[in-house]
Amino acid sequence: MKRSFLLLLVVTIMGVISTEAQLKLPKTGSAGANIGSVLSQFTDGLKPTSFLDSWASGGKTDWLSTAAKVTTGSGLGGSIASLAGFLKPNLFKSGFNVANLVKTANTVKTVSSAAGLLKNLEGGLKPEAFTSAWSSQRPAWLSALSLLK
């Protein structure tokens, strides 16, 4: 009985060690959450037709490459400002001031402030800018966004 219990305990511990060794933790930097992932989730929630032609002709690749490396508030702000510039102007809600968002995004210092701007950008877009799947993905995205600090 003791031998069986000991064998079960050893197998369980080995399984836990093996599983932990395989886990890949997201790059968090000083943010506490994976900023690049939150940014790419947002862009994945936008219809391809929501972007200007410059997005498809290299802008997307360059933007995603830069966004994947963001770890600071100013970096996140810069990515938000750049992303707003790739979106078609007619997809912003009436009264939404894109120029003000870009100006603020380019001066933001903290990750939490920049995360608030990203949420503001999302709220400033018309529903037709988003894919049909966005409504089901949005709660998880908002939860991840709230973890950025």
Side-chain angles (χ1 to χ4, degrees):
M1 180 76 171
K2 286 183 180 180
R3 194 172 281 186
S4 296
F5 177 73
L6 184 58
L7 180 62
L8 179 64
L9 182 64
V10 168
V11 169
T12 303
I13 291 172
M14 294 302 289
V16 169
I17 291 171
S18 173
T19 302
E20 285 187 24
Q22 295 174 17
L23 292 176
K24 290 186 179 181
L25 298 175
K27 292 187 294 182
T28 60
S30 61
N34 190 337
I35 298 170
S37 176
V38 171
L39 286 168
S40 64
Q41 285 173 16
F42 180 66
T43 58
D44 289 346
L46 293 167
K47 290 179 183 176
T49 57
S50 298
F51 295 96
L52 298 171
D53 292 339
S54 57
W55 180 255
S57 63
K60 177 180 181 179
T61 304
D62 293 343
W63 188 88
L64 287 173
S65 174
T66 302
K69 300 172 189 167
V70 172
T71 59
T72 65
S74 60
L76 179 55
S79 291
I80 294 166
S82 177
L83 179 63
F86 281 114
L87 295 169
K88 290 181 178 176
N90 65 324
L91 291 175
F92 289 99
K93 292 178 181 174
S94 177
F96 185 79
N97 190 337
V98 182
N100 191 37
L101 176 105
V102 170
K103 181 180 176 184
T104 303
N106 283 323
T107 61
V108 73
K109 299 291 183 212
T110 67
V111 172
S112 60
S113 295
L117 282 175
L118 184 57
K119 185 176 178 183
N120 188 22
L121 174 61
E122 188 257 351
L125 289 169
K126 293 178 181 176
E128 57 264 27
F130 295 96
T131 64
S132 58
W134 180 247
S135 61
S136 63
Q137 296 167 347
R138 187 175 185 265
W141 178 77
L142 287 172
S143 178
L145 190 64
S146 71
L147 295 175
L148 298 180
K149 296 180 178 159

